[in-house]
Amino acid sequence: MTTSADQTDQLTERVRAAFESKSPLKLTGGGTKAFLGEQVKGDTLDVAGHAGVVNYEPGELVMTARAGTPLSELEAVLEAEGQMLAFEPPHYGDNATLGGTIASGVSGPARPFTGAARDFVLGTRIVNGQGQALRFGGEVMKNVAGYDLSRLMVGAYGTLGVLLDISLKVLPLPRTQITRVFEHGPSEALTQISDWQRKPWPITGAYWEDGKTYLRLAGATSPVESACEKLGGETLDDDKSFWRDVREQQRPFFSNADKPLWRLSLPPAAPMLDIDGDCVIDWGGAQRWLASDIDAVALRRIVKEEGGHASVYRGDASPRFHPIGESMLALQQRLKRSMDPAGILNPGRIYPEL
């Protein structure tokens, strides 16, 4: 178990000194999300030592923890009380921290059914680019003062502030979980999943790979069992291990190191794209993983025509994040200047202009 430690003063002083000297800082925690986005040049600011649960109220479904708290330890504390992080965050390594999880905004298979990481953030405490400790939001949903600023930290990759503490809403663990398996081609899977989601069923995962559709149901025992009776299909043994492997990208599909791995974000009803390469479907069709050597510009043009965007998860393709328009870039630059006027926090991690 990690020793609880509050390093607010040390982190604040480091950022303040970097601001005064205009020295870029490379933020790091457990390092498990370092492969996401562009590489950052600068002095390392390690947040991993700022760790520990600050407050946990199981009866209120609220937890506040420091950014360096290991994700595995946080989940163990929650599980002991029969609760969980409902957005099912990927770890991508044993050293994953809460801060890295929120900064990268990653969510697992349950994301389209229970909500994204952003939806469960109630408040944050950060150090801005001038070395000032600021608090946004609170520990209850009705406290909306600064709430949107807390959410802006999710997926900002540390470019807007150094996360210190994060307050989250948590949920009870489901009483029952069952996964059904079906034989489908990819297009048939998309159609069938769309039909299933119109039913009042407790679906928490919908994944397709190599001719098989996996549908997870979780919640109270009666509605889960009732839905399974109507669905048919075969029950998957040890489905917890299966969904963990999906979440952590440890299925055989993800072991192909010869081709770049692309994350395609698409409308769930978008058809299968005519692209050379291997593909799996997650999030009921809204997230698709593609292993392909296709030219980055050509791929992004195809995906954009279907109303989506494409990012590189692994491989040498560049830029790693889908390019954004001039108006959106200008908005993000103004936000960056207001939070980090000297541009010292993870410069270029998302886009060179940020």
Side-chain angles (χ1 to χ4, degrees):
M1 182 69 70
T2 298
T3 302
S4 179
D6 185 345
Q7 296 186 351
T8 298
D9 291 343
Q10 298 94 310
L11 294 170
T12 301
E13 182 56 36
R14 280 288 311 280
V15 176
R16 185 180 299 119
F19 169 68
E20 292 174 353
S21 63
K22 304 297 187 289
S23 302
L25 291 174
K26 176 182 178 180
L27 278 55
T28 185
T32 61
K33 312 298 187 299
F35 67 93
L36 298 173
E38 305 292 349
Q39 295 301 305
V40 175
K41 295 181 180 180
D43 296 331
T44 298
L45 181 66
D46 192 343
V47 187
H50 182 72
V53 175
V54 177
N55 183 45
Y56 178 32
E57 299 291 342
E60 300 296 329
L61 298 175
V62 170
M63 170 180 275
T64 298
R66 299 186 181 108
T69 308
L71 198 55
S72 57
E73 293 184 10
L74 198 68
E75 290 173 333
V77 170
L78 290 169
E79 187 174 358
E81 295 291 339
Q83 297 179 348
M84 66 177 184
L85 296 173
F87 57 97
E88 203 174 2
H91 292 215
Y92 298 143
D94 295 337
N95 298 323
T97 63
L98 175 62
T101 297
I102 297 304
S104 58
V106 291
S107 301
R111 184 258 183 264
F113 310 102
T114 61
R118 180 178 287 105
D119 301 317
F120 292 92
V121 172
L122 301 176
T124 57
R125 193 165 65 94
I126 73 162
V127 179
N128 70 4
Q130 298 180 68
Q132 301 168 323
L134 305 173
R135 186 184 300 276
F136 303 123
E139 289 188 336
V140 291
M141 292 296 288
K142 64 183 179 182
N143 184 349
V144 297
Y147 187 68
D148 285 344
L149 284 175
S150 291
R151 288 185 166 188
L152 281 174
M153 300 301 139
V154 186
Y157 287 89
T159 60
L160 299 180
V162 181
L163 284 166
L164 293 175
D165 307 342
I166 301 108
S167 297
L168 296 165
K169 179 180 180 181
V170 300
L171 292 182
L173 286 164
R175 290 184 177 274
T176 301
Q177 176 176 300
I178 298 174
T179 296
R180 292 289 198 176
V181 186
F182 306 84
E183 300 285 342
H184 289 146
S187 296
E188 183 184 7
L190 288 172
T191 300
Q192 188 62 75
I193 291 170
S194 177
D195 180 62
W196 285 332
Q197 289 186 93
R198 289 193 286 269
K199 310 289 186 182
W201 294 341
I203 297 172
T204 63
Y207 178 84
W208 177 90
E209 175 188 302
D210 196 24
K212 292 184 178 181
T213 303
Y214 301 83
L215 190 74
R216 181 178 62 183
L217 302 105
T221 302
S222 179
V224 169
E225 292 181 344
S226 175
C228 287
E229 289 179 4
K230 297 172 182 176
L231 274 165
E234 300 292 330
T235 297
L236 178 65
D237 295 331
D238 193 15
D239 71 334
K240 290 185 178 180
S241 294
F242 173 84
W243 289 103
R244 182 188 62 239
D245 289 346
V246 170
R247 182 192 75 193
E248 300 300 333
Q249 297 187 349
Q250 293 178 352
R251 296 285 298 163
F253 167 83
F254 295 101
S255 64
N256 184 353
D258 296 334
K259 299 178 181 178
L261 177 66
W262 290 87
R263 176 186 179 272
L264 311 183
S265 178
L266 289 158
M272 292 300 296
L273 305 181
D274 186 16
I275 300 172
D276 289 335
D278 299 320
C279 183
V280 298
I281 299 170
D282 199 0
W283 293 6
Q287 177 171 262
R288 305 181 196 179
W289 298 101
L290 174 71
S292 175
D293 287 323
I294 185 173
D295 174 73
V297 174
L299 173 61
R300 284 176 165 140
R301 182 177 63 250
I302 294 170
V303 173
K304 184 177 180 180
E305 289 174 353
E306 293 294 340
H309 56 82
S311 301
V312 185
Y313 244 60
R314 295 186 178 91
D316 296 330
S318 186
R320 303 193 71 80
F321 291 106
H322 195 100
I324 56 177
E326 291 184 4
S327 59
M328 181 58 69
L329 178 59
L331 177 62
Q332 293 198 22
Q333 287 175 320
R334 290 198 298 273
L335 179 61
K336 171 73 170 175
R337 286 193 296 270
S338 68
M339 299 296 293
D340 179 21
I344 63 170
L345 300 179
N346 271 0
R349 179 69 187 271
I350 303 177
Y351 298 107
E353 300 87 350
L354 300 174

